[in-house]
Amino acid sequence: MNFWRWLTTPDPHPGFTRSKLLRLALRLFLFVLVATLLSSLLSLTPLSPYLNTWWGSLLFVLLLYIPAARFLNVDTFVPGRFQRPAPGSNAAQGGTSTLDKRREKNRYAGVRKPPPRTGGRR
């Protein structure tokens, strides 16, 4: 199970590292292997004449690629839980709790003018 977890867990480091390229190559090899095996097994069935047409091949590739697209793109689009916050954002500084945000929002509830700006008078 560790091999599968290593293969399907996104790498949080930016760019294409050696490990990331190895995973991508291994995923592509596994996808090609599964596609070849399925194609050869389906050619033994009565569906063989349909798979030899352009539209049959197109349907086969689409039906195979759409479920595998997420598996093949694991490292391309890193999920939010693996992304590092931007250096100047609140999340990088510890952020404020939702209770503090709600208090600040409700502090000026019903007041038409905006809250005072920081920095005092000019």
Side-chain angles (χ1 to χ4, degrees):
M1 190 65 184
N2 287 336
F3 173 72
W4 184 253
R5 185 172 292 148
W6 172 80
L7 191 62
T8 58
T9 303
D11 190 4
H13 303 294
F16 288 105
T17 60
R18 183 179 300 229
S19 172
K20 194 178 288 188
L21 288 175
L22 178 66
R23 287 185 211 181
L24 289 170
L26 193 57
R27 274 191 222 112
L28 183 64
F29 174 74
L30 288 173
F31 174 73
V32 168
L33 183 70
V34 167
T36 305
L37 287 174
L38 282 176
S39 177
S40 62
L41 288 174
L42 285 174
S43 68
L44 299 174
T45 65
L47 297 174
S48 172
Y50 302 111
L51 286 175
N52 292 334
T53 62
W54 66 270
W55 55 269
S57 299
L58 177 70
L59 284 175
F60 174 73
V61 168
L62 287 177
L63 289 175
L64 186 66
Y65 179 75
I66 289 173
R70 182 180 166 106
F71 173 70
L72 291 171
N73 289 326
V74 167
D75 283 326
T76 308
F77 304 106
V78 180
R81 65 180 181 267
F82 289 113
Q83 288 179 352
R84 294 187 183 116
S89 69
N90 276 346
Q93 300 167 357
T96 58
S97 70
T98 54
L99 187 59
D100 292 337
K101 288 179 186 176
R102 190 178 300 134
R103 269 192 206 125
E104 186 64 26
K105 181 181 169 186
N106 292 338
R107 182 175 174 193
Y108 298 101
V111 179
R112 289 181 185 232
K113 62 182 186 177
R117 296 182 183 160
T118 57
R121 291 187 174 203
R122 292 189 177 197

